[in-house]
Amino acid sequence: MNLKQSFRMAFKSIRSNRVRSLLTMLGIIIGVAAVIIMVSVVRGSNQQLRAYYERLGNNRITVSAQQWGGRDISQTLYDYCLSLGPLVLGVTPDATTEGPIIYRDKNTEDMENGSPTIKLGSAQFSLCNNFQIEKGRDLCQMDVQSGQQVVVLGERAARYLFNYQNPVGKTVLLHGHPFEVVGVYRAKDPDSEYSMDNMAVVPYTLNRLLNRQSTLDAFTVRAASSAATAEVSSRVSGFLKGQIDTERGYFSVYSENQDAKASDDQNRMMSMVLGGIASISLLVGGIGIMNIMLVTVTERTREIGIRKAIGARRKSILAQFLIEASVVCGIGGLLGIALGVAGTLIAGQLILRAVILPDLPMSAGAFLFSVAMGVGFGMYPAAKASKLQPVVALRAD
């Protein structure tokens, strides 16, 4: 019997026992679909986290330090970070102030998701926080040195206050003080409910005017690379240890690269765990395949005896039953992939609010794995069939 005839007989056997074949495939279908859905959703979540950290800006280091009842070390820390030269791309204070931004009859306190976050930064704020100018200009060193009352708006804040008007050159009120809008940042987080674009930036030298204080205790440092991030973190930590008595102050230095790596590791582990759980369905499905193939061997014992009596070789019988098991598992794998794609689309919308599709290598791997399961779990029934003696098989009822 050639290979084409073996496949023809396999499909004929499936058609003649449609319900039993479908129930046999059910474990494979559910297992493949579950693996695809779970792994795809975890990967989609991981991609969203990576995109979030990329929007924040790679290689960022957050530095916080304060000395109680002692000297203000903020300027010393700022100068030290700048002195690190090629290791550092930029440094900016990371201070905020509360209050609405008002333009004519528009008040940001009326915004649906809250008033914009007002940041006090240096001329390197956009570099450190991965913002780009869409209209107008960014803060410059002269604005910072002279304490100019200028503001750069995030896209969402600008859209609320000015709608389709060009905000550049307009005057807004912040804490009751007039500020000239000199620029608008390009949107980088437009789809988020609590968007990074709902913000505004003013020179940090206005801290006394807006917050009634001059002390700054937090900075954002943008390192030149991942390797530089670790070195800068180490150097800044060493510097602060020599500057601050921990009994009368505190300091912390951490890199968001560590958060990103921890998220990657956590999602990778979750993917493995969920994939392992879903694989149990595949194992159960494989056992079901073996069970049904043993029943098939029993039902076709006389057929096997006749084929052997007229000269069929043992390897032909073995191949026939292995092909049948593989075809059943392969069809189940294809149906499982189809169900997995549909399930991934639904789960992506419900869980992540995004369109997620399984990647092609994973789908191809799922199909090949299901076929391999057919070979693996069909081996014992096929071997049992091939070992039947013709005389004994012909006597079977």
Side-chain angles (χ1 to χ4, degrees):
M1 180 180 292
N2 60 33
L3 196 61
K4 184 178 180 180
Q5 288 176 321
S6 297
F7 275 101
R8 188 181 295 118
M9 288 187 66
F11 283 109
K12 182 179 179 181
S13 176
I14 292 172
R15 284 196 301 270
S16 62
N17 297 281
R18 289 186 178 88
V19 176
R20 187 173 74 178
S21 298
L22 181 60
L23 293 174
T24 303
M25 296 174 190
L26 200 56
I28 303 296
I29 295 170
I30 294 173
V32 170
V35 169
I36 288 176
I37 293 170
M38 289 182 180
V39 174
S40 297
V41 169
V42 171
R43 284 185 178 179
S45 174
N46 200 21
Q47 288 172 356
Q48 286 190 343
L49 279 173
R50 285 180 181 176
Y52 172 77
Y53 284 116
E54 286 175 2
R55 290 195 300 270
L56 284 177
N58 296 324
N59 308 321
R60 294 200 330 164
I61 303 167
T62 300
V63 182
S64 300
Q66 192 170 33
Q67 184 87 15
W68 298 309
R71 63 188 178 89
D72 178 17
I73 67 162
S74 59
Q75 190 61 47
T76 305
L77 173 59
Y78 185 67
D79 293 340
Y80 176 77
C81 291
L82 288 175
S83 73
L84 294 177
L87 293 173
V88 171
L89 296 178
V91 183
T92 181
D94 186 18
T96 60
T97 186
E98 300 294 332
I101 303 174
I102 299 172
Y103 177 70
R104 294 182 180 175
D105 60 340
K106 291 287 187 71
N107 187 324
T108 57
E109 283 188 337
D110 300 328
M111 291 181 68
E112 183 178 353
N113 294 316
S115 193
T117 302
I118 301 170
K119 295 280 189 178
L120 294 96
S122 71
Q124 297 173 328
F125 176 89
S126 58
L127 174 63
C128 293
N129 293 279
N130 201 32
F131 281 97
Q132 295 179 338
I133 287 292
E134 177 74 19
K135 298 176 182 176
R137 67 171 179 86
D138 206 347
L139 295 181
C140 66
Q141 192 61 31
M142 185 64 70
D143 296 329
V144 175
Q145 288 178 348
S146 58
Q148 292 293 321
Q149 291 180 206
V150 295
V151 59
V152 182
L153 298 176
E155 188 275 337
R156 184 166 292 190
R159 179 157 39 92
Y160 175 80
L161 289 169
F162 297 96
N163 203 3
Y164 295 106
Q165 297 181 59
N166 186 354
V168 177
K170 302 290 197 303
T171 300
V172 298
L173 294 179
L174 203 165
H175 284 222
H177 302 285
F179 278 73
E180 180 186 356
V181 179
V182 296
V184 178
Y185 288 123
R186 183 176 301 162
K188 70 171 184 175
D189 190 27
D191 300 323
S192 175
E193 184 177 359
Y194 299 99
S195 173
M196 300 178 195
D197 301 318
N198 191 22
M199 49 80 71
V201 185
V202 299
Y204 74 88
T205 45
L206 298 174
N207 192 31
R208 183 179 293 278
L209 174 69
L210 299 176
N211 287 330
R212 302 292 188 265
Q213 63 179 18
S214 58
T215 302
L216 297 166
D217 59 9
F219 296 87
T220 298
V221 182
R222 179 81 178 270
S225 64
S226 296
T229 301
E231 185 172 350
V232 171
S233 297
S234 177
R235 289 194 183 190
V236 172
S237 293
F239 172 77
L240 290 174
K241 284 180 182 177
Q243 294 289 321
I244 294 179
D245 179 359
T246 54
E247 293 184 357
R248 295 192 301 169
Y250 76 93
F251 72 89
S252 68
V253 180
Y254 78 92
S255 167
E256 289 172 357
N257 287 11
Q258 297 171 339
D259 292 342
K261 185 178 183 302
S263 295
D264 280 346
D265 292 342
Q266 183 178 6
N267 281 329
R268 193 178 299 112
M269 182 63 68
M270 186 180 299
S271 179
M272 291 174 63
V273 170
L274 292 176
I277 293 172
S279 297
I280 295 174
S281 295
L282 287 174
L283 178 61
V284 173
I287 295 171
I289 292 290
M290 182 186 292
N291 182 48
I292 292 300
M293 291 307 298
L294 286 171
V295 172
T296 302
V297 169
T298 302
E299 290 177 344
R300 295 164 61 182
T301 300
R302 286 183 61 82
E303 176 193 327
I304 295 167
I306 293 171
R307 290 177 59 188
K308 279 202 164 189
I310 61 176
R313 297 181 182 182
R314 178 182 172 186
K315 64 179 182 181
S316 298
I317 304 297
L318 182 70
Q320 175 63 40
F321 282 92
L322 284 179
I323 287 172
E324 287 190 21
S326 300
V327 167
V328 170
C329 286
I331 294 173
L334 290 174
L335 293 174
I337 291 170
L339 182 61
V341 170
T344 299
L345 287 170
I346 295 171
Q349 289 293 337
L350 293 178
I351 299 173
L352 303 177
R353 297 182 180 179
V355 177
I356 301 174
L357 286 171
D359 56 18
L360 185 60
M362 181 172 63
S363 299
F367 173 72
L368 293 176
F369 183 72
S370 62
V371 173
M373 282 188 61
V375 174
F377 285 95
M379 183 62 72
Y380 174 67
K384 183 178 178 181
S386 67
K387 291 178 182 178
L388 288 173
Q389 296 299 320
V391 175
V392 177
L394 288 169
R395 288 176 180 174
D397 292 332

